[in-house]
Amino acid sequence: MNCYKILLLCLLPLTGFGQSDKDFVSLNSADTQICPESGNILLMMDFQIVEGYHIQADEVLNDNFIPTELELLSLEDLAICELAYSEAKTIFLDENEPLLVFNKQFTITAIFLPPFAESESYCLEAVLSYQTCDGQKCFFPRELYLEIPMEIKV
């Protein structure tokens, strides 16, 4: 019976078991700028991906993969215009199946309409949903909860 336990412990790392709660993505920085032409607020969020992994891009070419998506939970009195994602990299599982992915790092820019107040502080709450893969397998989807302080001076 002990041989089976030892065999099971040796095989668990190969299954991805134990990776189910690992965050493969982290928020590196979040910078706020005012666009001089429109007055819109740009929130640029730079994300880092753990070395050796990639995540699916915001657009997928195969319905079996889950796209990366940022959901803004609390906008307070900010009105969102657009979410813009970095350009994805194309990789191939085999010579016939391209995938659009982010690896190493990527940026999501949230564009907001100018607020009515002249100077405001906000705490933007958001969830980044993503699916991580390596060269051999994909992991269960993950969610990264974010609280991003924003200081807006118009």
Side-chain angles (χ1 to χ4, degrees):
M1 190 64 120
N2 284 337
C3 292
Y4 291 117
K5 289 181 183 178
I6 292 171
L7 180 62
L8 179 63
L9 288 175
C10 291
L11 292 176
L12 277 178
L14 300 176
T15 64
F17 186 79
Q19 301 280 349
S20 62
D21 58 350
K22 180 178 180 176
D23 284 330
F24 293 97
V25 176
S26 60
L27 180 63
N28 213 19
S29 65
D31 296 316
T32 307
Q33 295 179 2
I34 306 290
C35 179
E37 295 86 26
S38 65
N40 289 344
I41 296 123
L42 307 176
L43 172 63
M44 290 154 294
M45 297 162 279
D46 293 317
F47 294 90
Q48 186 75 33
I49 301 170
V50 172
E51 184 71 30
Y53 298 94
H54 62 266
I55 65 171
Q56 304 304 316
D58 57 307
E59 180 183 332
V60 293
L61 303 175
N62 180 328
D63 290 339
N64 292 321
F65 295 105
I66 298 168
T68 294
E69 179 182 15
L70 183 71
E71 179 184 3
L72 302 173
L73 302 176
S74 66
L75 292 176
E76 298 182 26
D77 62 345
L78 291 173
I80 184 81
C81 289
E82 179 182 355
L83 281 174
Y85 293 77
S86 294
E87 187 174 338
K89 178 182 176 187
T90 302
I91 63 171
F92 290 86
L93 283 180
D94 58 39
E95 63 269 356
N96 298 325
E97 187 172 2
L99 295 176
L100 297 175
V101 301
F102 299 128
N103 64 352
K104 296 183 183 176
Q105 59 189 26
F106 66 101
T107 301
I108 300 175
T109 302
I111 304 170
F112 300 95
L113 292 175
F116 296 107
E118 293 205 12
S119 179
E120 287 289 331
S121 294
Y122 298 94
C123 183
L124 183 68
E125 294 178 17
V127 177
L128 181 73
S129 302
Y130 63 95
Q131 182 182 27
T132 306
C133 302
D134 61 18
Q136 299 179 1
K137 63 184 170 295
C138 290
F139 298 91
F140 290 116
R142 303 281 196 280
E143 290 185 336
L144 178 64
Y145 292 90
L146 304 166
E147 288 185 2
I148 304 167
M150 294 174 56
E151 188 72 32
I152 300 170
K153 295 184 183 191
V154 182

